Amino acid sequence: MVFCMDGDLLFMKKANALTKMSVRKGQSPFGTIIVKNGRIIASGHNLVAKNTDITAHGEIVAIRRACKRLKSIKLGGCTLYTNCEPCPMCFSAIHWAGIKMVVFGASISDAKKLGFSELAIPAKTMARMGKSHVIVTGGVLSGECAATMKTWLDNPRRVVY
């Protein structure tokens, strides 16, 4: 079991619920919540296929919404919860936005097993190698998150990228 706070479990459950919604809407199985001072300030799920935008990952959608809501490109003091470990693009955006912490469930290798063409670089490795300030906590409700992601395989119209 990964050490985490009760709030981490609550917000991860919410991110995973968003993932379920994304899958029901025919999108890829990724959902994100951004929290500041214990309150959700933004959320997003994967919109890559819907928007024909390869950058519309759940984390990016949520970061864009949080920046708009706070009227700032800096999201200091925020924690990002996502059902799956951020890819290098998303981790870079998290870093550049100044997000304090990222908490994820399933691993990037779980996404790769589903057929996504992930650059399998763990977030902790990116943080360490890039000397990032972002605190990375992984594996929170990992089994539950991975199981939700697998439901996406049941969609015959799923889009793999």
Side-chain angles (χ1 to χ4, degrees), residues 134-157:
V134 179
I135 300 164
V136 178
T137 301
V140 177
L141 299 178
S142 60
E144 190 175 317
C145 290
T148 297
M149 290 172 64
K150 285 180 187 169
T151 66
W152 172 78
L153 293 172
D154 296 333
N155 180 356
R157 296 185 335 223

Side-chain angles (χ1 to χ4, degrees), residues 62-78:
I63 288 169
R64 288 174 179 157
R65 290 174 178 169
C67 288
K68 192 172 272 192
R69 177 156 187 207
L70 296 180
K71 296 179 173 74
S72 175
I73 60 170
K74 290 297 182 183
L75 300 176
C78 291

Side-chain angles (χ1 to χ4, degrees), residues 30 52 73 82 85 105 114 128 138 140:
F30 305 102
T52 318
I73 60 170
T82 188
E85 187 171 9
L114 294 177
R128 186 183 70 252
V140 177

